[in-house]
Amino acid sequence: MAELTLPADDGGTRTYTTAPAMVWDRPTAPLQARRAYAAAHVIPRTTGNNVPGAPADMDWDATLGYRHELWSYGLGVADAMDTAQRGMGLDWAATQELIKRSAAEAASVAASGAPAVAGKTVRDLIAAGAGTDHLDLAALPAGRAGVEAVLDAYREQISVVEGSGAKVILMASRALARVASGPEDYLRVYSTLLNEVSEPVILHWLGDMFDPALAGYWGGADVDAATATFRELIGGSAAKVDGVKVSLLDADHEKALRAALPEGVRLYTGDDFNYPELIDGDGTHYSDALLGIFAAIYPAASVALQNYDAGRPAEARAILDSTRELGLHIFSAPTFYYKTGIAFMSWLNGRQPGFSMVGGLQNGRSVPHLVRTFELADKAGLLADPDLAAARMRSWLSVNGVGA
């Protein structure tokens, strides 16, 4: 336990004492009851020029070390996704290197035969995002030419992911949202790509709360109509769809969609608010997981999944529920800044040398928000070393003028 001074709501200060460290056991066998990927963040070089608009300058040792930490808890890694700041600081050059380096590390882990990953393939251990974010939206032509440009951009990125050995995640495209004239353009682009890929992929439907530029995805603002288009695509290409990741923060919508999916197509929840009930299931269906919040709560998430494997669903659900308040806070509006909270927890837990992010995104949250993140992480037992976390918190508060 550690004692420190935190800011109070009335403008003063208060004394806070951390809870004792909680022990979260790593699995001794591969996780089976649910398939789970943690969407991992990236760590910049502390002295790099990681300011808004600059190319990402990465700390590769720390970034890859974080992925090894996730694998050691039996989780897969979803890489080069929105958690890794795609479209918010991570440029395509750095993204390509990230995909190749992470997939090579995944291959070494798969070959190691470690108990938590025994029998897992590279595709089980890593899935990576393929999108169109290297396109210059200002130069994108309108109409059919724009749609063709989007197709070619997807093909370029898919080639990088497939070449690395990782599973492809077809990310939502700001460019397609800009040039598509209706559902037919979405169906044409995605069905073409699904016909061309060599292995089944994960489709990603990312809501506009995560990226406002994706409003109206699948061809319209009406969610029911968009869902009908999404289901039409999946139904026509089910053999090429490993699963779908849905990030709309709407549990009822997700439950209805997963019940309607073709046999063999998984629903990977991307609902960082309602993941406990969705992963737990309704007795007939459950969601697998591809979650940004798992990058922050991975020790607890792993132990919860271990409990599902052991036939203890009540214990598993209780662990997931114990992290819900932290998830709701990290992903609170504006939701697209959730990455800042994940990086902050990584720094508090000693997984990166400084609290910094590519594109200067460490400034995406306020002092009160991150103070609350610290407290909720402590409450959930997710400060690995409370003394270290408290020491780092004190230094960060001092730099930010708290108690000065």
Side-chain angles (χ1 to χ4, degrees):
M1 294 188 294
E3 188 175 285
L4 69 162
T5 301
L6 297 180
D9 291 340
D10 63 3
T13 59
R14 56 196 168 91
T15 300
Y16 183 85
T17 303
T18 61
M22 187 174 291
V23 176
W24 301 100
D25 292 329
R26 288 173 168 82
T28 57
L31 302 173
Q32 300 289 344
R34 305 287 189 275
R35 187 173 292 181
Y37 292 93
H41 77 302
V42 294
I43 300 170
R45 193 167 61 88
T46 305
T47 56
N49 186 38
N50 286 290
V51 297
D57 188 346
M58 302 284 289
D59 182 334
W60 290 113
D61 288 342
T63 294
L64 298 174
Y66 206 90
R67 283 138 183 79
H68 279 277
E69 176 79 352
L70 295 171
W71 288 320
S72 77
Y73 277 91
L75 300 174
V77 170
D79 220 331
M81 299 290 292
D82 43 301
T83 307
Q85 296 181 237
R86 293 293 293 272
M88 293 185 73
L90 190 72
D91 56 280
W92 176 229
T95 299
Q96 292 181 71
E97 190 167 0
L98 173 66
I99 292 168
K100 294 171 183 177
R101 285 177 179 253
S102 293
E105 294 299 312
S108 72
V109 171
S112 73
V117 299
K120 297 284 188 179
T121 68
V122 173
R123 283 168 53 85
D124 294 326
L125 294 180
I126 186 164
T132 65
D133 53 321
H134 60 296
L135 287 175
D136 180 355
L137 293 184
L140 195 63
R144 184 63 175 265
V147 173
E148 289 298 323
V150 168
L151 257 174
D152 287 341
Y154 265 125
R155 288 172 174 136
E156 180 180 343
Q157 295 204 9
I158 288 169
S159 177
V160 171
V161 178
E162 287 190 329
S164 77
K167 182 181 296 183
V168 172
I169 303 171
L170 282 183
M171 299 177 67
S173 165
R174 291 176 180 173
L176 184 55
R178 183 166 181 159
V179 301
S181 60
E184 297 79 10
D185 284 334
Y186 286 90
L187 290 171
R188 179 172 176 275
V189 167
Y190 277 91
S191 61
T192 299
L193 296 173
L194 290 175
N195 184 59
E196 293 175 354
V197 293
S198 58
E199 299 282 350
V201 307
I202 297 173
L203 299 176
H204 188 191
W205 183 356
L206 188 68
D208 58 6
M209 69 289 293
F210 289 95
D211 186 346
L214 298 176
Y217 214 74
W218 302 109
D222 182 77
V223 173
D224 289 339
T227 302
T229 302
F230 193 54
R231 288 182 56 189
E232 180 181 348
L233 170 70
I234 298 163
S237 306
K240 287 293 188 76
V241 181
D242 169 86
V244 300
K245 169 178 160 58
V246 181
S247 302
L248 299 182
L249 305 181
D250 184 337
D252 290 337
H253 176 270
E254 179 169 321
K255 291 173 187 176
L257 177 59
R258 76 184 180 194
L261 289 174
E263 185 176 357
V265 176
R266 297 175 179 270
L267 197 149
Y268 294 93
T269 186
D271 189 333
D272 301 278
F273 287 174
N274 301 299
Y275 58 92
E277 67 178 274
L278 293 167
I279 292 170
D280 194 53
D282 57 15
T284 303
H285 301 97
Y286 62 81
S287 297
D288 294 291
L290 199 164
L291 287 162
I293 193 59
F294 270 22
I297 68 164
Y298 62 88
S302 173
V303 173
L305 298 178
Q306 292 173 54
N307 273 280
Y308 281 119
D309 281 349
R312 297 188 293 266
E315 290 89 335
R317 174 65 187 270
I319 292 170
L320 292 175
D321 280 338
S322 74
T323 68
R324 184 194 293 266
E325 190 175 4
L326 175 63
L328 289 169
H329 179 70
I330 287 178
F331 284 79
S332 60
T335 301
F336 47 83
Y337 286 127
Y338 76 86
K339 299 99 168 164
T340 303
I342 291 174
F344 190 61
M345 282 188 60
S346 171
W347 175 67
L348 290 175
N349 282 320
R351 304 305 309 177
Q352 60 189 75
F355 176 44
S356 58
M357 301 175 69
V358 298
L361 204 65
Q362 68 272 12
N363 295 312
R365 292 296 197 185
S366 67
V367 168
H369 180 94
L370 293 176
V371 167
R372 185 62 177 156
T373 301
F374 170 83
E375 291 183 272
L376 291 173
D378 178 53
K379 178 181 176 182
L382 290 166
L383 297 181
D385 181 342
D387 289 336
L388 172 65
R392 291 193 164 194
M393 193 69 185
R394 289 189 201 98
S395 65
W396 180 77
L397 288 169
S398 176
V399 168
N400 280 277
V402 176

